Amino acid sequence: MAKINNRDYVFATACVRSGEKNMLSHDKIEKMVESKSPEDALKVLTELEYGAVSEDVSPEEFEKLLTREHKRTYEFVRSIVHDSKYFNLFLYPSDYHNIKVILKAEFLGTDPEPFFMGSGTIDPQTLLVMVRDRNFVGMTSNMKDAIEEVLDVFGRTKDPQQVDVILDKACYKDMSLLAEQSENQYLKGYVKLLIDTINLRIFVRMRQMNKSWDFFSKVFIEGGNITEKFFIGGYDEPFESFAEKLGAYGLSEVLSESAPMLKEKGSFTMLEKMCDNRLMDYVKDSKYKSFGIEAVVGYILAKENEIKSARIIMAGKLAGLPSDRIRERLRESYV
């Protein structure tokens, strides 16, 4: 693949800078949080023409808006860049989610369609036929290898957890490979940081569940900046002291801020939030680029974060949570 030339993204940068003006700003997010009902919260999204859904959508159907907005984001990006292959990097998680759903449904004899995610590199219905027919043409080699491994391992062990472990490893391998092929430091840096935050979450969860370090080794994901050996070396340390060592990787505050809630309540809410905020801090650097693929990547990831915030708010409103409880779960906004 040809090396990325940032000058090819001058037009695209101008387009996404204009698009940023219509994003769910901090003020609009706050308006949703403080709204008195789910209907009022949803109204903020519909006024932004979220998802461009023409029919009336009830608060209980808010996922329709979010799914469509996610799809529309990538349609927009494809329309403004001359070559969208590198943006597949951000679509692979949807592909792998759908593969998990298809395989688990096959093993259990259930219908996978209600659990599909859109906006992958392969249409979910097409993917369903491909997996069922064992026709892997059009998939990445990592997808093919992972599916074959799942079929073999599950056939022998009947362990559904292995489906997730095998496919997650393959997903991040595909993301890492495409980032490396781009030869773009921003993309490579993002994927490495993403994998580091995922491994940190796994590290903490395994410890909280009293799993041994060798179990952690089985689920550790390659491709980040932090090695498996580093995590294992701190497996028996208090979170506070291990957090200090994470300073070299920019993740010290992520764990130190999360430690009290982990120890007192056994809650992972703050850890999830801090990991996402650290990723958003990285993404925000793209706002200072005059032009380049970084601006487009920043827009995509900002929209992903925005959709996640909208989901948290709408789910909270439907569950009757007070505004403060919803607010404490929200991630940093891009705009």
Side-chain angles (χ1 to χ4, degrees):
M1 293 186 181
K3 184 177 180 179
I4 289 174
N5 182 348
N6 277 337
R7 291 193 175 278
D8 291 337
Y9 293 88
V10 173
F11 171 74
T13 299
C15 290
V16 298
R17 293 291 184 238
S18 177
E20 287 172 3
K21 298 174 184 177
N22 297 318
M23 290 180 67
L24 198 58
S25 65
H26 176 76
D27 289 344
K28 288 186 173 66
I29 287 175
E30 191 61 24
K31 184 177 179 181
M32 287 184 70
V33 171
E34 291 296 336
S35 59
K36 295 181 180 180
S37 67
E39 288 78 11
D40 289 342
L42 186 68
K43 187 177 179 181
V44 177
L45 297 179
T46 55
E47 287 175 349
L48 286 172
E49 298 184 350
Y50 223 71
V53 176
S54 56
E55 73 272 17
D56 289 337
V57 175
S58 69
E60 290 77 13
E61 298 174 307
F62 73 87
E63 280 290 351
K64 284 185 179 180
L65 291 182
L66 305 191
T67 299
R68 178 56 191 152
E69 186 68 13
H70 190 267
K71 183 178 180 181
R72 189 169 70 152
T73 297
Y74 284 93
E75 289 173 345
F76 169 62
V77 168
R78 289 191 186 100
S79 73
I80 61 174
V81 299
H82 75 287
D83 187 350
S84 63
K85 61 177 175 283
Y86 293 113
F87 301 102
N88 285 345
L89 188 156
F90 306 105
L91 299 176
Y92 286 144
S94 291
D95 287 327
Y96 278 94
H97 167 86
N98 291 336
I99 292 171
K100 288 180 188 178
V101 167
I102 292 166
L103 288 172
K104 289 180 180 180
E106 179 178 318
F107 298 150
L108 297 172
T110 57
D111 181 11
E113 292 192 39
F115 306 100
F116 281 151
M117 291 175 62
S119 302
T121 65
I122 304 173
D123 176 76
Q125 292 299 328
T126 302
L127 194 57
L128 176 61
V129 174
M130 294 167 75
V131 175
R132 285 182 174 173
D133 292 348
R134 308 298 191 246
N135 178 5
F136 306 127
V137 176
M139 293 186 185
T140 70
S141 60
N142 288 320
M143 283 183 197
K144 171 184 176 294
D145 292 345
I147 292 171
E148 290 179 336
E149 185 179 356
V150 166
L151 293 170
D152 173 58
V153 172
F154 186 84
R156 289 185 286 105
T157 67
K158 305 302 180 187
D159 181 1
Q161 188 178 51
Q162 291 301 313
V163 178
D164 294 326
V165 172
I166 293 167
L167 289 167
D168 283 345
K169 286 176 179 284
C171 177
Y172 293 107
K173 188 181 291 184
D174 264 336
M175 293 178 72
S176 295
L177 179 62
L178 194 53
E180 288 296 326
Q181 289 174 345
S182 76
E183 297 186 35
N184 181 268
Q185 293 302 317
Y186 184 79
L187 277 178
K188 291 193 286 186
Y190 175 78
V191 174
K192 285 182 178 295
L193 179 60
L194 174 63
I195 293 173
D196 285 339
T197 62
I198 291 168
N199 282 327
L200 178 58
R201 295 178 220 213
I202 294 171
F203 171 84
V204 171
R205 286 183 181 275
M206 294 301 98
R207 285 187 46 172
Q208 292 292 92
M209 294 167 64
N210 293 316
K211 296 287 187 179
S212 61
W213 64 263
D214 58 321
F215 188 90
F216 168 78
S217 292
K218 293 176 183 177
V219 295
F220 175 82
I221 296 171
E222 300 284 349
N225 288 307
I226 309 177
T227 65
E228 178 186 343
K229 183 178 179 181
F230 180 91
F231 279 111
I232 292 174
Y235 211 75
D236 296 319
E237 290 187 42
F239 285 142
E240 291 83 358
S241 58
F242 186 68
E244 292 180 12
K245 295 181 179 179
L246 288 172
Y249 303 99
L251 292 171
S252 179
E253 288 187 8
V254 170
L255 185 55
S256 63
E257 292 288 326
S258 309
M261 189 174 286
L262 287 164
K263 293 168 68 175
E264 295 167 15
K265 301 180 180 179
S267 172
F268 297 94
T269 301
M270 182 59 72
L271 176 66
E272 297 287 345
K273 176 178 178 176
M274 292 298 293
C275 283
D276 286 347
N277 284 349
R278 176 65 187 90
L279 289 165
M280 184 50 57
D281 285 342
Y282 182 92
V283 171
K284 283 182 177 180
D285 286 345
S286 67
K287 295 173 73 173
Y288 305 105
K289 293 283 291 188
S290 300
F291 57 85
I293 193 172
E294 293 86 349
V296 184
V297 170
Y299 177 78
I300 288 174
L301 295 173
K303 288 294 293 185
E304 297 267 11
N305 186 68
E306 172 187 289
I307 290 168
K308 183 180 291 186
S309 293
R311 179 175 292 112
I312 290 170
I313 296 170
M314 289 305 304
K317 288 296 177 184
L318 287 168
L321 295 180
S323 297
D324 287 347
R325 286 280 305 281
I326 295 174
R327 191 178 289 108
E328 70 183 17
R329 299 181 182 197
L330 290 175
R331 279 58 171 160
E332 279 187 25
S333 62
Y334 183 76
V335 293

